[in-house]
Amino acid sequence: MSRPPLRHAEPPWPRTVDVAERRAAGWVPRPFHSFVLKVHSRCDLACDYCYMYRSHDQSWRGLPRAMAPATVRRVAERIAEHLSAHGVSEAGVVLHGGEPLLLDDETLVHTVEELRTAVGDGVRLRLSLQTNGMRLTEERLALCDALGLRIGVSTDGGRAAHDRHRRGADGRGSHARVNAALGRLASERHRHLFGALLCTVDLRNDPVRTYEDLLEHRPPTLDFLLPLGTWHTPPPGLDPSGRLTPYADWLWAVFERWYGAPVRETGIRLLDDLLALLLGATPRTEALGLSPVRYAVVDTDGSLTQDDALRTAYDGAAATGLDVWGASFDTLLLHPGVAARQWGADALCAHCLACPLHRVCGGGHYATRYRPGTGFANPSVYCADLAELIRRVRHRLGMDLARAGEKTERLRGTGPRPVEAV
């Protein structure tokens, strides 16, 4: 049976999508294997680009500061129920915020114990924590070690780059404290807890200098995040005509420095995924490509929401109307906004489908596609930048593969042969 065509005309797509019709046509939702728990809804920094506190959606103001013990237990039960129903034997849970380390030690321990007890020994539960680093003391690191929590830290590089945005409510920069925390995390004692560094791209910062500043901490992985913006509220410095591609230029400079290094210094998720897709492999994350989105978000009150980044689109964009008290994660899978992000190319607009690069870029980050009137049925506001970056990396990779092929043929004594372009 052929699938019914998607209708992108009715705003705000995809809320108008008939999921039942899609299921009748053969679509089967993929179960969640990652869960983001907003265990604390407040933060001890006031970063001026924060999608949680500085966006159109201000619903955080009405949320409990911390996830109550009863809510934690119910969330844990719902996760265990979902994993068991679908035979998922390995899953990830990220303790998020706000700032999760605003929780006291007792609550942090209770949260982890509830999660592990609920899923039982039959599931390998990978637990991690995403922090701004302000409260990452030696004592907290020891506790995270005891709890088996890997740690990701948000930082934007050197002092000037970091403190431009990542300041406290009093206006003081946070670089000194975060840098000290990273020194502790990267030490031999705690290095096994080090998950990744997250850095938001700022065009005013030198890309190579930013990369090398981050590299000083010897992170196992880096994540370069494009500032969240939409067609209604574009990211800073973006060329609306698409003739200039400043974000592609910035990331290309990082790529050349990273890719051209004599040894692999660290992973860069965005670029690793881009290379994987160009080589026909499956990316590790859902930032690029057409892999189905398989993570769920739970707010401190137990609400089941879509990706928090949707808060940058409009007030209520991330809401689903569901919570752990009355709905399972299976129910969340059938919400139009969640379901659409599992449909791959079927959920892309006509402009994206006509582009030969759509299987690599995947249409761009979902939140960055928003335009009033057509909802998320648009290319990403970063469309031109993504296309330019993909073309440059594809050309570089193709040249390297061709050279490698020629070298192999010379060694075999059969002479060079043309290598198919990537």
Side-chain angles (χ1 to χ4, degrees):
M1 181 183 296
S2 62
R3 293 180 177 178
L6 297 183
R7 303 176 180 88
H8 290 318
E10 307 93 333
W13 193 89
R15 288 183 182 272
T16 51
V17 165
D18 189 336
V19 177
E21 187 180 8
R22 296 281 295 178
R23 292 190 76 191
W27 171 66
V28 177
R30 300 286 300 278
F32 296 116
H33 58 36
S34 297
F35 304 85
V36 179
L37 309 189
K38 299 288 184 173
V39 293
H40 204 288
S41 68
R42 303 301 193 267
C43 190
D44 47 0
L45 288 181
C47 306
D48 59 12
Y49 54 36
C50 182
Y51 64 80
M52 182 79 173
Y53 306 110
R54 300 298 182 98
S55 296
H56 298 291
D57 189 328
Q58 292 291 298
S59 57
W60 63 271
R61 296 180 183 275
L63 291 173
R65 286 183 174 269
M67 195 175 278
T71 306
V72 171
R73 174 163 293 182
R74 188 58 173 160
V75 172
E77 290 170 349
R78 287 295 196 190
I79 290 174
E81 168 191 72
H82 186 74
L83 299 178
S84 176
H86 294 280
V88 179
S89 60
E90 183 172 350
V93 176
V94 183
L95 305 185
H96 211 280
E99 172 48 53
L101 287 181
L102 285 171
L103 294 178
D104 58 56
D105 288 356
E106 182 180 354
T107 304
L108 189 59
V109 170
H110 172 264
T111 299
V112 171
E113 289 180 345
E114 287 282 10
L115 290 164
R116 293 200 185 280
T117 299
V119 302
D121 296 333
V123 175
R124 180 176 176 238
L125 201 60
R126 293 174 283 99
L127 289 167
S128 60
L129 180 148
Q130 184 61 40
T131 176
N132 60 30
M134 292 288 284
R135 295 169 183 266
L136 201 57
T137 61
E138 190 69 36
E139 292 74 22
R140 277 303 177 85
L141 282 165
L143 179 60
C144 288
D145 194 359
L147 294 174
L149 284 171
R150 284 175 64 83
I151 298 167
V153 181
S154 299
T155 174
D156 287 348
R159 181 182 298 276
H162 181 98
D163 284 348
R164 180 179 290 118
H165 302 288
R166 305 190 65 80
R167 297 174 173 271
D170 59 3
R172 290 190 294 180
S174 60
H175 181 265
R177 286 182 63 176
V178 175
N179 208 49
L182 286 171
R184 291 187 283 269
L185 179 59
S187 68
E188 291 306 313
R189 180 178 180 183
H190 300 299
R191 183 165 178 75
H192 61 285
L193 303 176
F194 205 159
L197 293 181
L198 270 65
C199 172
T200 300
V201 173
D202 186 324
L203 297 175
R204 291 170 290 183
N205 299 334
D206 179 84
V208 174
R209 175 65 183 273
T210 300
Y211 170 70
E212 292 179 343
D213 283 341
L214 296 170
L215 199 59
E216 288 183 4
H217 302 293
R218 298 183 297 122
T221 303
L222 294 176
D223 230 348
F224 283 108
L225 309 177
L226 293 171
L228 288 169
T230 68
W231 292 101
H232 179 55
T233 52
L238 193 82
D239 178 14
S241 72
R243 288 189 296 270
L244 301 177
T245 53
Y247 286 94
D249 297 343
W250 201 97
L251 289 169
W252 175 247
V254 173
F255 177 85
E256 287 197 303
R257 166 63 181 81
W258 168 75
Y259 183 77
V263 295
R264 182 175 170 89
E265 297 165 318
T266 187
I268 298 181
R269 283 176 181 158
L270 177 67
L271 300 179
D272 279 327
D273 282 353
L274 178 49
L275 289 172
L277 284 159
L278 289 171
L279 291 169
T282 302
R284 291 185 303 160
T285 69
E286 293 140 347
L288 294 173
L290 297 171
S291 297
V293 169
R294 298 180 60 189
Y295 61 86
V297 182
V298 187
D299 266 333
T300 54
D301 64 350
S303 295
L304 299 174
T305 72
Q306 300 181 70
D307 190 334
D308 261 7
L310 296 182
R311 296 174 185 273
T312 58
Y314 59 89
D315 187 21
T320 66
L322 304 173
D323 61 49
V324 293
W325 309 106
S328 67
F329 283 108
D330 274 17
T331 305
L332 179 62
L333 280 171
L334 302 180
H335 182 277
V338 176
R341 298 184 70 186
Q342 292 208 351
W343 294 341
D346 285 349
L348 298 182
C349 67
H351 178 93
C352 289
L353 289 175
C355 174
L357 301 178
H358 76 267
R359 295 191 177 279
V360 179
C361 76
H365 192 294
Y366 197 74
T368 66
R369 304 179 201 176
Y370 179 74
R371 188 193 295 268
T374 50
F376 298 93
N378 307 286
S380 168
V381 72
Y382 284 109
C383 178
D385 287 86
L386 287 172
E388 180 63 19
L389 178 64
I390 292 168
R391 291 189 192 103
R392 293 185 193 180
V393 173
R394 181 178 63 181
H395 178 71
R396 174 68 183 274
L397 188 58
M399 290 178 60
D400 286 354
L401 289 175
R403 282 195 292 267
E406 290 171 0
K407 182 177 180 180
T408 299
E409 297 302 336
R410 285 197 300 271
L411 291 173
R412 290 175 177 171
T414 57
R417 293 185 299 180
V419 176
E420 185 178 347
V422 179

